[in-house]
Amino acid sequence: MERLLKLKQLLKIERDEDYEQYKAHFMRNNINYRKQNGVTWFPIVVTNTEIGLGEYISIDIERTTNHNEPHQFSGGKIAALFSNTHLDATPINGTIKVINPNKLRLTLAIDELPDWCDDGKLGINLLFDENSYKEMNIALDKVINAKGNRLATLRDVLYKNIAPSFDHKIHEISIPSLNDSQNEAVNKILQAQDVAIIHGPPGTGKTTTIVQAIAQVLKTEKQVLVCSSSNTAVDILTEKLHRAKINVLRLGNPARISDEVLMNTLDAKVAAHQSYKELKAYRKTAEEYFRMAGKYKRTFGKSDREQRQLLYQEARKILNEARVLEDYITYEQFDKAQVICCTPVVSANRMMRDKQFTTVFIDEAAQALEPMCWIPISRSNRVIFAGDHFQLPPTVKSKKAEAEGLKETLFEQAMQIESISVMLNTQYRMHEHIMNFSNHQFYGGNLQADDSVKSTILSKQADDFYLNKALSYIDTAGCGFNEITNPESLSIANPEEAVLLLKHLRLLLNQYREKIKATKDITVGIISPYKEQVQYLTQLIAADEELQLLPAKIVVKTVDGFQGQERDIVYISLVRSNDNKEIGFLNDIRRINVALTRARERLVVIGDSATLANHSFYKSFIEYAESIDAYQSAWEFAE
């Protein structure tokens, strides 16, 4: 109980710090600065308006300048429509429903747009997300006050006050498509009465195992709740469950716009219902009445006012009939769904309030704050965690909250409970030379590379210098490639290291084109822990005409952007190079573990050993590279 009370304090500290950072963007900076930081679109144009689910207005918005520039808008976030002409007009808050690089759909809790929307010079601001903190606090209060019920038992099990129970009478099964450790994990889940864990290191088939486990659980349970704090992870599970012929309902806002995800959203399922035409007709009629009422905005004589009132009454009457029909269609979707997939916060929304599940699966649980996990757990009789506590940790903005324990996850605590976790031990992604460093640093040497990948490289020819190794470490020590700090963002870049990386990539891709003569583009991921370096590399690539002609699909992102992804070739730019031997958040070796385990056939890491090797982790990595003849000096690539 002491831990839970402490969590409430830490959550308040985190919320306050989050809000201060929000204010730093919005209250202290002008509109151009906010645009550059991707938290404001201006100017924008409203291209479409219609009545959507819940009789709320949905508007389609398109930005008219700054096309394709990075931004922080994403599905599910709250944004405000504002006017830069009517500065006294109150902005209208809404929820982002669909997001594209330059377009989005915003759902507004109003039945008509105000007059100032007709005068142009509109924009949208990303707003502070208060709702997630509210829901986490509600969940913590539930757990603290739980007594003599299922939630109290789960709390006591997860806090190691009582031992978890398993039904060993349940007959063990063997699924032919799974390996031994994956089958062991499925059986652990089927027997668990309180909690079980799938510990899934990179490339070990964690998602495949989860889907198979869910399919088995659905043989005895009507409906299962599946959550992840990452929208992308929710989407991946939605796709794979759909392909496994499981009826899945995706709540919230998809991050990946794929057919499998979209057809499983509530909006799409409602639109596919046989009564949807009738619902649409109601809405169209209501919209017409609203439009007719709008004609009386400007005149406002007594008779005009009365006529407008009558039209609004009729519109609302029709919308009420529409809402009754919509509620029926929506209830049917929830009732039919075998799996409901969403983020933890969405699991607490209006449509889920009265639902209680037998089982909740929480994927990427090692990335989720403990209070976030309690939201879906409080709606379930047992919990299955899946994740890897040696990959990305949760994001905590407050240094104080982080230092005092907010970063400690429920997944990590549960991993200390005996006999509830199974580690998947066969990886199907990468060459064993790419795997082995992380294997020994994090996984006790217990991982094995499957025969299908363990020795796969781009070329086995001795003269294919850039293709015939799985791993290279290129050391920039002594080259004078010094890091630089952006005074505004305080992020760090290393321009000369970026230039070297692209030079190596061009040489590799040219050799690949000449020797392999592949018919399709190879996939390349370029990763840096620093946003400033990512932006610099992105600009260099965009201006590099030779690279555009080479056979590769190149993506540049931070480590977080590559979580759960893989590429044929991966380059990592570690950036840090300074006289003080400072490495900043390269100290977070879990984050670097993610970067080191994204490549299938070729991994190239570039960094300054004079700075990095003062940390034991990077010293060990450099020694590992030397031991497998993967060490090179940047001087080898000098002009």
Side-chain angles (χ1 to χ4, degrees):
M1 203 67 74
E2 185 180 333
R3 163 73 177 167
L4 289 162
L5 293 170
K6 179 70 171 175
L7 275 175
K8 279 187 68 74
Q9 296 172 6
L10 297 179
L11 200 57
K12 184 180 186 309
I13 293 169
E14 173 70 0
R15 182 259 172 218
D16 291 345
E17 175 61 26
D18 197 359
Y19 185 58
E20 285 303 313
Q21 291 186 20
Y22 163 77
K23 285 199 297 185
H25 273 304
F26 286 97
M27 311 299 183
R28 301 172 197 159
N29 295 298
N30 62 33
I31 198 167
N32 287 327
Y33 182 87
R34 300 199 309 264
K35 283 168 65 177
Q36 288 169 13
N37 280 274
V39 292
T40 293
W41 282 7
F42 180 87
I44 56 100
V45 61
V46 177
T47 58
N48 184 47
T49 304
E50 63 183 50
I51 297 173
L53 281 180
E55 75 180 53
Y56 293 152
I57 282 184
S58 286
I59 60 173
D60 292 333
I61 285 170
E62 186 172 345
R63 55 177 171 177
T64 56
T65 61
N66 302 92
H67 285 165
N68 300 319
E69 284 192 2
H71 60 78
Q72 297 183 41
F73 290 83
S74 62
K77 289 190 176 181
I78 308 299
L81 180 70
F82 69 88
S83 168
N84 214 31
T85 303
H86 300 268
L87 299 178
D88 57 339
T90 303
I92 310 166
N93 295 355
T95 304
I96 298 170
K97 293 289 287 181
V98 179
I99 185 78
N100 290 308
N102 301 304
K103 300 177 183 179
L104 60 80
R105 174 165 289 186
L106 195 65
T107 298
L108 308 168
I110 54 174
D111 53 21
E112 65 170 334
L113 290 173
D115 293 345
W116 53 260
C117 289
D118 299 328
D119 296 339
K121 291 200 174 177
L122 301 177
I124 49 170
N125 284 327
L126 203 55
L127 293 188
F128 180 68
D129 180 15
E130 188 76 63
N131 185 52
S132 60
Y133 290 103
K134 285 181 181 175
E135 293 297 348
M136 284 190 279
N137 269 303
I138 290 168
L140 285 176
D141 287 337
K142 274 191 196 175
V143 181
I144 289 167
N145 297 318
K147 196 171 183 180
N149 59 11
R150 191 67 195 134
L151 182 55
T153 302
L154 286 177
R155 175 194 65 206
D156 291 343
V157 168
L158 289 166
Y159 278 5
K160 296 182 281 188
N161 295 322
I162 59 176
S165 56
F166 292 84
D167 186 352
H168 295 291
K169 293 177 185 175
I170 293 176
H171 181 66
E172 288 199 0
I173 62 167
S174 179
I175 300 167
S177 60
L178 300 186
N179 64 39
D180 290 347
S181 64
Q182 291 170 334
N183 269 308
E184 184 186 351
V186 171
N187 282 298
K188 179 72 75 175
I189 288 164
L190 296 178
Q191 294 177 351
Q193 303 294 290
D194 307 297
V195 59
I197 294 177
I198 302 173
H199 178 197
T204 54
K206 170 176 63 72
T207 305
T208 299
T209 308
I210 294 171
V211 169
Q212 290 289 347
I214 290 169
Q216 293 300 318
V217 168
L218 285 170
K219 291 181 178 180
T220 56
E221 297 174 23
K222 186 188 175 208
Q223 196 172 69
V224 169
L225 176 62
V226 176
C227 290
S228 171
S229 55
S230 156
N231 264 304
T232 302
V234 177
D235 289 342
I236 290 168
L237 280 165
T238 300
E239 286 182 15
K240 295 208 169 184
L241 287 162
H242 174 82
R243 289 173 187 171
K245 311 296 184 192
I246 291 170
N247 186 332
V248 54
L249 176 61
R250 167 59 160 112
L251 298 183
N253 296 276
R256 291 148 50 100
I257 310 299
S258 68
D259 289 343
E260 286 91 346
V261 172
L262 286 179
M263 72 175 59
N264 288 289
T265 61
L266 181 59
D267 284 2
K269 284 179 177 281
V270 168
H273 193 275
Q274 59 186 12
S275 299
Y276 181 68
K277 284 185 180 177
E278 187 181 350
L279 177 62
K280 202 170 181 183
Y282 277 133
R283 286 184 186 153
K284 189 173 181 181
T285 305
E287 281 176 5
E288 182 61 23
Y289 277 114
F290 277 125
R291 189 187 64 77
M292 290 163 63
K295 290 180 179 178
Y296 294 94
K297 281 185 183 179
R298 309 275 183 195
T299 52
F300 265 79
K302 184 182 178 185
S303 63
D304 294 329
R305 197 174 285 114
E306 289 174 354
Q307 185 63 24
R308 187 185 192 205
Q309 195 61 36
L310 286 171
L311 288 166
Y312 271 133
Q313 285 175 6
E314 189 62 28
R316 290 193 175 97
K317 178 185 171 187
I318 294 168
L319 279 180
N320 189 55
E321 292 173 9
R323 185 166 58 246
V324 171
L325 178 58
E326 183 185 303
D327 286 348
Y328 163 73
I329 297 172
T330 302
Y331 171 80
E332 201 172 85
Q333 305 317 309
F334 275 87
D335 189 55
K336 281 181 179 177
Q338 294 172 282
V339 176
I340 295 176
C341 271
C342 58
T343 60
V345 172
V346 172
S347 75
N349 76 10
R350 176 178 64 86
M351 293 175 283
M352 296 277 280
R353 288 271 152 83
D354 300 325
K355 280 196 166 290
Q356 186 71 17
F357 297 86
T358 301
T359 304
V360 58
F361 285 76
I362 302 180
D363 190 20
E364 306 291 10
Q367 285 186 56
L369 295 175
E370 179 176 338
M372 189 67 78
C373 286
W374 283 116
I375 299 172
I377 293 173
S378 68
R379 302 175 179 281
S380 183
N381 294 341
R382 67 174 187 146
V383 56
I384 311 301
F385 292 117
D388 180 9
H389 51 305
F390 298 124
Q391 293 189 67
L392 287 182
T395 300
V396 178
K397 296 185 177 180
S398 164
K399 298 293 183 190
K400 178 177 171 62
E402 180 179 346
E404 294 187 21
L406 187 58
K407 207 165 190 171
E408 294 169 18
T409 64
L410 206 50
F411 182 94
E412 288 172 283
Q413 293 175 58
M415 280 293 293
Q416 297 170 22
I417 302 171
E418 285 187 21
S419 304
I420 68 163
S421 67
V422 174
M423 188 181 100
L424 308 181
N425 60 21
T426 305
Q427 70 83 14
Y428 300 88
R429 174 181 297 163
M430 66 199 92
H431 189 286
E432 61 183 351
H433 282 176
I434 300 172
M435 174 194 78
N436 274 335
F437 178 71
S438 288
N439 186 19
H440 290 285
Q441 285 285 320
F442 297 101
Y443 306 109
N446 293 317
L447 278 180
Q448 296 178 335
D450 187 71
D451 287 343
S452 62
V453 298
K454 67 184 296 182
S455 59
T456 303
I457 51 177
L458 296 172
S459 172
K460 294 187 177 178
Q461 298 300 314
D463 59 342
D464 289 347
F465 179 73
Y466 295 100
L467 309 177
N468 60 14
K469 289 183 179 179
L471 173 67
S472 294
Y473 171 70
I474 301 175
D475 190 355
T476 65
C479 294
F481 291 2
N482 294 324
E483 65 188 56
I484 56 173
T485 302
N486 182 324
E488 285 189 9
S489 67
L490 300 181
S491 186
I492 299 170
N494 192 319
E496 290 155 309
E497 185 172 292
V499 169
L500 171 65
L501 186 154
L502 293 188
K503 180 178 183 179
H504 191 279
L505 176 59
R506 281 193 299 272
L507 291 166
L508 186 152
L509 290 176
N510 271 309
Q511 191 168 86
Y512 178 77
R513 179 174 60 182
E514 291 165 14
K515 296 297 181 81
I516 307 301
K517 296 182 173 57
T519 55
K520 65 175 184 175
D521 288 355
I522 198 163
T523 59
V524 178
I526 302 178
I527 305 175
S528 178
Y530 291 92
K531 287 182 181 178
E532 195 70 21
Q533 186 78 338
V534 167
Q535 290 176 7
Y536 190 76
L537 282 160
T538 302
Q539 291 166 2
L540 286 181
I541 290 169
D544 193 319
E545 293 180 4
E546 183 184 350
L547 263 184
Q548 314 302 323
L549 299 174
L550 290 170
K553 292 179 180 176
I554 303 171
V555 177
V556 189
K557 291 182 181 178
T558 61
V559 179
D560 297 55
F562 271 102
Q563 172 73 359
Q565 297 189 36
E566 57 188 62
R567 295 291 187 276
D568 298 319
I569 301 167
V570 169
Y571 280 77
I572 303 172
S573 173
L574 293 172
V575 176
R576 300 310 299 261
S577 179
N578 56 76
D579 294 336
N580 298 324
K581 319 298 183 192
E582 292 175 355
I583 64 169
F585 60 68
L586 291 190
N587 279 298
D588 186 350
I589 60 174
R590 287 166 56 173
R591 186 166 252 100
I592 301 304
N593 184 37
V594 173
L596 292 172
T597 52
R598 299 304 99 195
R600 287 191 281 260
E601 297 176 67
R602 186 76 168 99
L603 174 64
V604 181
V605 182
I606 305 177
D608 176 9
S609 65
T611 298
L612 299 171
N614 292 279
H615 189 291
S616 60
F617 176 83
Y618 297 97
K619 184 173 184 289
S620 296
F621 176 74
I622 294 165
E623 289 171 351
Y624 170 71
E626 290 173 333
S627 74
I628 60 168
D629 193 27
Y631 176 92
Q632 293 176 272
S633 169
W635 289 106
E636 296 177 35
F637 304 97
E639 292 292 347

